[in-house]
Amino acid sequence: MSDLSPLPAMPGQRLARGTGRLLRSLDHAVLTEFTPVRGLRVDLISLGPKGELWVVECKSCRADFQADRKWQGYLDWCDRYFWAVDCDFPTDLLPDDTGLIHADAFGAEITRMAPEHRLSGPRRTKVQRDFARAAALRLQVMCDPGALIAGAS
Amino acid sequence: MSDLSPLPAMPGQRLARGTGRLLRSLDHAVLTEFTPVRGLRVDLISLGPKGELWVVECKSCRADFQADRKWQGYLDWCDRYFWAVDCDFPTDLLPDDTGLIHADAFGAEITRMAPEHRLSGPRRTKVQRDFARAAALRLQVMCDPGALIAGAS
């Protein structure tokens, strides 16, 4: 089967692409590089058909994981939290009570489902609104680059 | 000032592009061709920073307006409803209690603000969620066409 997209340059982007495809196959809509609150930016966030919000951080190697001082802050912004790693990643490093996805650039699978910690209603509403706005603002600029002149974002 | 995007082929698309730029300048995130419920598809929906939902129908000529049998159904899916037309459109046709935007392919302005009829909380939540999913699904396919293979949408 041919693939229509060029391979992303960075290891983390390759994991994100494959994970994004997995999430889509689960009927989740995916957004990369999302900022739920100032100072935190997640690699992937997805929104399921019932409003479920999942966050996935992509880690390309041990050092990439060990340099991450912020991941526990992400738990407050999703119902389920996952790591996405490649098949060579030392998964013993990762906390047992988080989800695990094995990915490459072409696809991914869930190795361990993340436990669910459901967001409060107001927070879910806020994240969904911010998700919607971020996705639509990016989409508009891709379809009409001239729109950038019109807005601040 | 140069413009980065090719001019859309259809008159309605040109109105939609200019109106999208206006909405962005008002800090609204815009999505085209959105289906809030089966059987209804709006030309533009926008989501403001406080969660406001506006719908805009683009009408290129009298016949285009007169052929529209569905627009009153759109009122139930937004806080404010507008028409977008060009400067030659016979605006006397349009109901006084709807908003009016004058647009071309490059920009637009609000000629008459639409009255506000605020959505209920549950409906607003549903529309925001569907908006978020639609925008992200389209964005993912633009960034990674191979993702289409992974999902149903």
Side-chain angles (χ1 to χ4, degrees), chain B residues 16-86:
Chain B
R17 192 180 82 167
T19 302
R21 293 180 180 187
L22 164 70
L23 291 165
R24 191 183 186 99
S25 76
L26 299 173
D27 198 16
H28 278 232
V30 183
L31 192 61
T32 60
E33 302 285 340
F34 176 70
T35 301
V37 66
R38 185 190 297 263
L40 286 185
R41 192 174 64 175
V42 304
D43 289 336
L44 288 176
I45 187 167
S46 75
L47 177 57
K50 296 178 180 170
E52 317 92 296
L53 286 159
W54 294 3
V55 161
V56 185
E57 280 296 293
C58 300
K59 293 298 172 195
S60 58
C61 62
R62 175 190 294 263
D64 189 13
F65 171 73
Q66 289 175 333
D68 189 337
R69 301 270 182 270
K70 293 189 173 179
W71 73 267
Q72 282 165 316
Y74 304 151
L75 301 175
D76 294 336
W77 297 95
C78 59
D79 299 309
R80 296 184 194 269
Y81 179 83
F82 297 83
W83 304 100
V85 300
D86 70 17

Side-chain angles (χ1 to χ4, degrees), chain B residues 50 52 78-79 116-120 124:
Chain B
K50 296 178 180 170
E52 317 92 296
C78 59
D79 299 309
E116 186 179 45
H117 300 286
R118 287 182 62 79
L119 291 177
S120 70
R124 184 183 311 282

Side-chain angles (χ1 to χ4, degrees), chain A residues 3-152:
Chain A
D3 199 273
L4 303 165
S5 326
L7 210 57
M10 305 293 292
Q13 293 172 330
R14 292 198 286 271
L15 297 174
R17 192 181 82 166
T19 302
R21 293 180 180 188
L22 165 69
L23 291 166
R24 191 182 186 99
S25 76
L26 299 173
D27 199 16
H28 277 233
V30 183
L31 192 62
T32 60
E33 302 285 341
F34 176 71
T35 301
V37 66
R38 188 190 295 262
L40 285 184
R41 192 174 63 175
V42 304
D43 289 336
L44 288 176
I45 187 167
S46 74
L47 177 56
K50 295 176 180 172
E52 317 92 293
L53 286 159
W54 295 4
V55 161
V56 185
E57 280 297 293
C58 300
K59 294 299 173 195
S60 58
C61 62
R62 175 189 296 264
D64 189 14
F65 172 73
Q66 288 174 334
D68 188 336
R69 301 269 183 273
K70 292 189 173 179
W71 73 266
Q72 282 165 315
Y74 304 151
L75 302 176
D76 294 336
W77 298 94
C78 58
D79 300 306
R80 298 184 193 268
Y81 178 83
F82 297 83
W83 304 101
V85 300
D86 71 17
C87 61
D88 296 323
F89 189 94
T91 55
D92 289 351
L93 291 176
L94 304 174
D96 285 338
D97 58 350
T98 52
L100 179 58
I101 290 169
H102 276 103
D104 64 19
F106 299 93
E109 62 182 24
I110 295 177
T111 304
R112 182 174 65 227
M113 177 55 75
E116 186 179 45
H117 301 286
R118 286 181 62 80
L119 293 176
S120 70
R123 180 156 291 193
R124 183 182 312 281
T125 298
K126 176 197 161 23
V127 176
Q128 287 182 2
R129 177 188 304 171
D130 292 349
F131 179 118
R133 283 175 48 83
L137 288 167
R138 292 184 206 173
L139 185 65
Q140 184 185 27
V141 168
M142 289 192 75
C143 298
D144 175 21
L148 257 189
I149 299 163

